[in-house]
């Protein structure tokens, strides 16, 4: 079946850039989403990219998509303590006709 | 409603009892997902409804788990003979469907504790 892999943990210093990586297996993925879950809260959509794009920038967020390698990344510039959360990669699988979530990457920001 | 609503928000039950968790999706959304999130863990897919198609039940962990969606709207997840390992936050999400942007909107979840 469709598989989505993320590293489980990332620690960065405040002010540095964070890069969260995701690989997936379904080449027919159309939209690819990043969700954020803050401590004790629900999941909120952070950003997304359509499969015919290779980059999308939204303020401090940059999403890069390499369709050939089925690799998606989320870069957060000037990371702040408020960015500490779990980040989930979620491609919409055209083959399975549903969203597939990765296990999530826990981002810890320290002074 | 304005968003996905789940009830109850918290449920404590004794081992062996049955529980029902409810999800009210956003009006007009044809797709509905149930996920489970254990403490400190990622999302575990349980079941997916899309319109009138047969549900994708491939994530249900055992036959003690079942879900239905009545009239293409409200969904109920039922866990029979609950076990302690069923303790988790159960999340529901709805989505407009398969065409166009397929963003899923999440409810706040039901925290289930089996004692």
């Amino acid at each position: 079946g469709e598989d989505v892999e993320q590293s489980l943990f990332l620690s960065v210093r405040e002010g540095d850039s964070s890069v969260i990586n995701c690989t997936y297996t379904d080449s027919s993925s159309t939209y690819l989403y990043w969700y954020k879950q803050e401590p004790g809260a629900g999941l909120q959509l952070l950003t997304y990219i359509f499969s015919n794009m290779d980059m999308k920038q939204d303020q401090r967020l940059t999403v890069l998509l390499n369709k050939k390698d089925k690799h998606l990344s989320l870069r957060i510039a000037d990371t702040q303590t408020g960015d500490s959360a779990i980040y989930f990669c979620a491609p919409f699988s055209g083959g399975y006709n549903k969203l597939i979530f990765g296990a999530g990457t826990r981002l810890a920001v320290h002074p | 409603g304005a968003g996905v609503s789940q009830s109850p928000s918290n449920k404590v039950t004794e081992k062996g009892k049955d529980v029902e968790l409810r999800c009210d999706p956003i009006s007009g959304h044809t797709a509905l997902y149930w996920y489970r999130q254990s403490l400190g863990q990622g999302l575990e897919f349980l079941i997916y409804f899309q319109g009138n198609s047969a549900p994708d039940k491939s994530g249900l962990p055992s036959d003690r788990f079942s879900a239905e969606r009545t009239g293409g709207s409200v969904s109920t997840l039922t866990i029979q003979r609950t076990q302690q390992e069923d303790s988790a936050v159960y999340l529901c999400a709805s989505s407009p469907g398969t065409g166009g942007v397929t963003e899923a909107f999440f409810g706040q979840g039901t925290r289930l504790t089996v004692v």
Side-chain angles (χ1 to χ4, degrees), chain A residues 38-62:
Chain A
E38 297 186 33
L43 276 82
Q44 299 286 332
L45 180 69
L46 192 61
T47 187
Y48 69 91
I49 191 167
F50 189 51
S51 58
N52 68 353
M53 301 166 66
D54 50 25
M55 186 180 88
K56 179 179 179 181
Q57 187 142 6
D58 183 3
Q59 299 182 334
R60 292 190 297 120
L61 304 178
T62 303

Side-chain angles (χ1 to χ4, degrees), chain A residues 2-111:
Chain A
E2 165 70 303
D3 196 21
V4 180
E5 300 277 348
Q6 297 180 242
S7 53
L8 294 182
F9 189 74
L10 177 66
S11 178
V12 299
R13 192 185 307 272
E14 192 174 10
D16 287 352
S17 292
S18 307
V19 180
I20 301 171
N21 293 302
C22 169
T23 58
Y24 59 97
T25 56
D26 185 357
S27 58
S28 67
S29 293
T30 52
Y31 287 88
L32 300 101
Y33 299 89
W34 284 101
Y35 281 81
K36 178 182 180 181
Q37 185 180 34
E38 297 186 33
L43 276 82
Q44 299 286 332
L45 180 69
L46 192 61
T47 187
Y48 69 91
I49 191 167
F50 189 51
S51 58
N52 68 353
M53 301 166 66
D54 50 25
M55 186 180 88
K56 179 179 179 181
Q57 187 142 6
D58 183 3
Q59 299 182 334
R60 292 190 297 120
L61 304 178
T62 303
V63 179
L64 295 176
L65 174 62
N66 181 330
K67 277 192 74 174
K68 175 176 169 290
D69 294 338
K70 302 191 199 70
H71 182 267
L72 183 72
S73 68
L74 173 70
R75 179 176 180 270
I76 306 173
D78 186 25
T79 313
Q80 303 297 308
T81 54
D83 295 323
S84 295
I86 304 175
Y87 292 82
F88 293 91
C89 167
F92 185 85
S93 166
Y96 290 89
N97 209 28
K98 66 185 183 189
L99 275 173
I100 310 284
F101 279 83
T105 300
R106 185 179 296 273
L107 175 64
V109 183
H110 56 87

Side-chain angles (χ1 to χ4, degrees), chain B:
Chain B
V4 178
S5 177
Q6 291 188 246
S7 60
S9 54
N10 278 285
K11 175 74 177 177
V12 180
T13 190
E14 291 181 354
K15 179 181 170 181
K17 301 276 181 148
D18 298 352
V19 294
E20 282 190 355
L21 312 180
R22 178 186 168 103
C23 173
D24 281 89
I26 293 173
S27 177
H29 280 190
T30 59
L32 188 147
Y33 301 80
W34 282 99
Y35 294 92
R36 178 167 73 173
Q37 187 175 31
S38 301
L39 187 63
Q41 302 298 309
L43 292 180
E44 177 186 3
F45 167 74
L46 296 177
I47 189 168
Y48 168 57
F49 297 89
Q50 172 53 52
N52 295 320
S53 302
D56 176 352
K57 304 180 183 180
S58 59
L60 294 178
S62 77
D63 59 8
R64 295 187 295 106
F65 288 73
S66 63
E68 62 177 24
R69 188 178 185 193
T70 52
S73 180
V74 172
S75 178
T76 303
L77 177 69
T78 301
I79 309 173
Q80 295 178 307
R81 305 181 303 282
T82 51
Q83 303 295 311
Q84 287 185 326
E85 62 262 29
D86 300 334
S87 296
V89 176
Y90 289 80
L91 293 166
C92 174
S94 72
S95 167
T98 57
V101 178
T102 46
E103 173 191 354
F105 296 81
F106 280 82
Q108 289 299 104
T110 294
R111 182 176 297 277
L112 175 67
T113 305
V114 182
V115 297

